[in-house]
Amino acid sequence: MLLPAWGLTGQAHAATAVTYFVSPTGSDNSPGTSAAEPFRTLTKAQSAVRAIDKSTSGPVTVILAGGVYRLTKTLTFTAADSGGGSAGTVWWKAASGQSPVVSGGVRVSGWTKGSGGIWSAPAPTGLDTRQLYVNGTRAQRATGALPTTVTQTATGYTTPSGDPMAGWRNPSAIEFVYRGGLGAWTEPRCPVASVTGTAITMAQPCWNNSTQRVMRTDDSGRTVNLVGRKSITEAPTAVENAYELLDRAGEFTLDKSQHRFYYMPRSGEDLTTADVEAPSLGTLVASSGKASDEPTHIGFQGIQFSYAAYTTSNTGTGFSEIQATYQVTGTNGYATQGLCDFVSGGTCPYGNWTKMPAAVRFTYDKNIHFDHDYFVHLGAAGLDLGDGSQGGTVTACVFTDVSGNGLDLGGVDLPQPSNAAQHTSGITVKDSHFYDIAAEYHGGVAIDAGYIETSTITHNQIDHVPYTAISIGWGGWPDKVKLPAQPNYSNHNTISYNLIHHHMSLLGDGGAVYTNGITGTSMVTGEHVTGNVVHDQLNTSGGHVLYTDNGASYVSILGNAVWNINVSPWGSKHTNYTLNDGTYDPTDIEGDYWPAGPSDYDQKGVVIRNNHNITDPDQIPSTVIAAGGIESAYTSILDWQPA
């Protein structure tokens, strides 16, 4: 009789675990196999991991000691970095009790004091940035009110003679900010190209993209994109990045012609010893973006991602915002981008406007995990699990001091993918803290989901954000002209038990949970907004707390708790132009606790019943309130501080 293989040696051999160690004080000539002899760089550790035969190895772990890992190029993950099989998930972990920082920044030193309390330091040649951080605190780009009156023209503005900006240094570095400029939910920004005499010429294509959006030829009075206004019409609400505006502690400007930073210190800051960081690298970590080379089974734990740059807004492209930091770009963007067959030469699909990039970005990947990671001091979005991301998790992470959106899920460029690999599906975002998001681009959203499926956003805390907390869905706006919403694959998404408060602090027409477009094909497969706890939405410029906007069909709003608000707790029903049968977009609203809620209603696809109108949060069952927010096992992240 033949013996089993294990019988030849008496026991089976367990697959051997592999661990590598990395430290900013290590050496890439070291073996990296112990904390005493670590590698120095992440790229060396990545090469070592790629050399492992993961089909036969045991678990694979890369341990990062505390300190700063400065990147000069994106750390890119491909199929070669994948785990799976006996290796399980390949984890990149912080050493116990330590705080590694993956940084795209460069240190700025050599500060000298000048007149008026302004200090300056040389910037690396060619460096462009919109952010500066002093001892881990974001500095404000020099800002102030427009110093003159203006009259808008086709190319910019005219001013009275004696406009002080005509004498400012580097007028082409000036940026105009328009809070609410293309809709109450927007804050577009356009650079100045030149100031000559009484003429201010604005940079292109930002100016055309923000003033010439094509109007429909019917009598609807709407732009073809159906979102927002044709043009900025009001004068700028603020001016940024001029040396002449540098007059308050904590402000800075970068003079690229001199390659020099100027900064006015805050009380207690000593620039001769301070850690001053300027973002330089745009994307810190990313997948290859190829469906044929997808990374799988990779995890990151305990890592801080910081000091990523985003400088497109400094160029003629500017920041011509549509919604949630999506923007119109390109020389002819205002006339064609995302307008599909609504206009001759329109690009498809409808609503496919330009997405702001993220510091950490994965597309076409499976089972990528973020656990107790920290996304902080970032110049665009924080983390993007985009098209083709499947099975990923974001658990107990912190997102703060991010210029744009905190977390992006899915995209808006593939409403009807041609194959399953292009779907964004099975993502779970749980027990994470989002606060002080959209620190620069105030139309940003803490969690922004485009077209996704079978995904869950649950038990997170979102607070102190200038606009919407959670936005999900896209492409519903055609109902404004009695056309069906953009067909898409979204289905089975749940937003549950999140704690949201002190949101909508600057902009309008948003909410705690904002939904746009088709969410499924039935009340079962559609979106479920359940058990969320929301308070202190105190904006006065419109919107709703739980907001079903254009084309939002098959949404269930069940058992949520809302108090201390200045807007209606829910809004609103819309005619269903997808079926075009005289009904409304199907909506089910039951068991919610809120002030001045809608009356019972059961007609044409909308059901409202068994809700509770309250005048005080004490009238809400304590169990409902207690269920919202970060679960007890993860609440320590509320005390986390950046490294």
Side-chain angles (χ1 to χ4, degrees):
M1 180 177 68
L2 292 175
L3 293 173
W6 60 265
L8 299 176
T9 59
Q11 63 179 13
H13 290 288
T16 303
V18 180
T19 303
Y20 286 113
F21 296 83
V22 195
S23 169
T25 61
S27 169
D28 283 350
N29 293 321
S30 297
T33 52
S34 72
E37 295 183 291
F39 297 135
R40 182 180 181 87
T41 66
L42 303 181
T43 52
K44 177 64 176 180
Q46 184 181 48
S47 295
V49 170
R50 287 178 172 179
I52 298 169
D53 183 353
K54 302 185 199 73
S55 66
T56 59
S57 76
V60 178
T61 308
V62 180
I63 303 294
L64 276 60
V68 179
Y69 298 83
R70 295 188 186 275
L71 302 180
T72 57
K73 65 178 182 178
T74 302
L75 186 67
T76 301
F77 286 81
T78 69
D81 300 290
S82 297
S86 59
T89 297
V90 176
W91 281 101
W92 295 66
K93 291 185 176 183
S96 178
Q98 300 188 39
S99 302
V101 179
V102 176
S103 170
V106 294
R107 290 198 69 173
V108 180
S109 58
W111 291 91
T112 58
K113 187 176 181 179
S115 62
I118 297 174
W119 290 62
S120 68
T125 300
L127 176 71
D128 190 13
T129 183
R130 297 174 61 86
Q131 298 88 33
L132 190 71
Y133 301 88
V134 181
N135 292 331
T137 300
R138 178 185 292 247
Q140 167 65 52
R141 288 209 308 172
T143 186
L146 185 71
T148 186
T149 58
V150 293
T151 301
Q152 190 166 319
T153 68
T155 57
Y157 301 96
T158 58
T159 67
S161 60
D163 173 11
M165 287 189 295
W168 287 1
R169 64 167 80 177
N170 296 327
S172 62
I174 299 169
E175 183 173 281
F176 285 174
V177 183
Y178 303 86
R179 184 163 297 171
L182 288 165
W185 57 93
T186 68
E187 191 177 73
R189 296 166 170 265
C190 277
V192 170
S194 64
V195 181
T196 307
T198 60
I200 300 173
T201 302
M202 300 299 291
Q204 295 289 7
C206 186
W207 187 244
N208 284 350
N209 287 339
S210 303
T211 61
Q212 296 187 26
R213 295 183 180 177
V214 180
M215 298 297 291
R216 292 179 61 86
T217 56
D218 56 24
D219 60 358
S220 68
R222 296 190 179 276
T223 57
V224 172
N225 69 32
L226 301 172
V227 187
R229 301 158 58 178
K230 171 184 178 180
S231 174
I232 290 168
T233 56
E234 291 82 9
T237 52
V239 181
E240 282 191 6
N241 203 40
Y243 176 86
E244 289 75 10
L245 297 173
L246 192 57
D247 59 0
R248 285 179 285 186
E251 286 188 333
F252 85 99
T253 187
L254 170 62
D255 188 328
K256 288 188 288 185
S257 65
Q258 296 182 354
H259 309 299
R260 200 159 192 87
F261 284 102
Y262 293 89
Y263 177 67
M264 184 171 287
R266 301 175 179 93
S267 176
E269 290 178 339
D270 180 355
L271 293 184
T272 64
T273 59
D275 176 23
V276 183
E277 301 280 345
S280 178
L281 179 64
T283 302
L284 306 180
V285 175
S287 65
S288 68
K290 300 175 183 178
S292 60
D293 195 20
E294 65 176 16
T296 68
H297 296 90
I298 301 171
F300 303 90
Q301 186 180 80
I303 300 171
Q304 178 177 319
F305 299 95
S306 292
Y307 305 120
Y310 175 68
T311 57
T312 300
S313 301
N314 289 350
T315 70
T317 294
F319 182 65
S320 182
E321 188 170 28
I322 285 278
Q323 185 164 317
T325 73
Y326 280 89
Q327 55 195 292
V328 176
T329 60
T331 303
N332 205 36
Y334 67 93
T336 61
Q337 188 180 23
L339 303 186
C340 208
D341 55 6
F342 287 144
V343 296
S344 176
T347 61
C348 294
Y350 166 71
N352 180 23
W353 297 296
T354 301
K355 186 180 192 179
M356 183 179 283
V360 179
R361 172 188 52 81
F362 279 82
T363 56
Y364 299 105
D365 57 272
K366 286 188 174 69
N367 301 306
I368 305 298
H369 305 292
F370 294 89
D371 181 10
H372 287 82
D373 295 311
Y374 313 102
F375 300 83
V376 58
H377 309 325
L378 300 172
L383 170 63
D384 183 5
L385 299 178
D387 293 337
S389 285
Q390 299 180 2
T393 59
V394 178
T395 305
C397 292
V398 176
F399 296 76
T400 188
D401 191 29
V402 178
S403 287
N405 295 340
L407 170 62
D408 286 322
L409 303 175
V412 301
D413 57 329
L414 293 172
Q416 295 179 292
S418 59
N419 59 71
Q422 295 176 321
H423 288 220
T424 302
S425 63
I427 306 294
T428 299
V429 181
K430 66 186 293 285
D431 292 295
S432 295
H433 190 199
F434 299 77
Y435 66 102
D436 294 336
I437 299 298
E440 181 177 357
Y441 302 97
H442 294 134
V445 175
I447 303 175
D448 184 46
Y451 300 125
I452 64 174
E453 65 180 1
T454 60
S455 294
T456 300
I457 300 169
T458 188
H459 285 293
N460 302 286
Q461 178 171 320
I462 303 172
D463 58 89
H464 297 90
V465 294
Y467 179 54
T468 291
I470 300 172
S471 178
I472 183 166
W474 202 252
W477 302 288
D479 80 350
K480 294 178 178 178
V481 290
K482 302 183 179 181
L483 293 173
Q486 168 70 58
N488 70 78
Y489 71 92
S490 297
N491 68 89
H492 286 98
N493 296 311
T494 298
I495 300 170
S496 61
Y497 306 109
N498 300 286
L499 172 61
I500 301 170
H501 62 89
H502 294 93
H503 51 292
M504 299 296 299
S505 62
L506 287 180
L507 299 183
D509 201 7
V513 179
Y514 171 92
T515 303
N516 189 301
I518 300 169
T519 77
T521 57
S522 69
M523 298 310 299
V524 173
T525 66
E527 176 186 315
H528 285 70
V529 180
T530 304
N532 300 283
V533 176
V534 183
H535 61 87
D536 290 281
Q537 181 172 324
L538 299 175
N539 66 301
T540 58
S541 50
H544 309 280
V545 177
L546 305 177
Y547 195 164
T548 50
D549 204 3
N550 301 104
S553 57
Y554 301 113
V555 181
S556 298
I557 300 174
L558 310 173
N560 302 279
V562 176
W563 71 89
N564 201 27
I565 58 174
N566 278 0
V567 294
S568 59
W570 168 74
S572 54
K573 62 187 180 185
H574 294 264
T575 299
N576 186 342
Y577 292 108
T578 299
L579 297 179
N580 203 24
D581 59 356
T583 63
Y584 296 113
D585 292 321
T587 309
D588 184 15
I589 301 173
E590 301 188 49
D592 299 291
Y593 295 83
W594 48 26
S599 301
D600 285 1
Y601 184 95
D602 188 353
Q603 295 180 43
K604 299 182 177 180
V606 174
V607 175
I608 303 173
R609 63 189 173 203
N610 299 326
N611 297 291
H612 310 272
N613 280 320
I614 64 167
T615 57
D616 190 283
D618 289 342
Q619 297 168 310
I620 303 170
S622 59
T623 53
V624 173
I625 295 176
I630 296 170
E631 295 169 287
S632 59
Y634 302 100
T635 52
S636 62
I637 67 168
L638 295 172
D639 299 320
W640 175 84
Q641 296 294 321

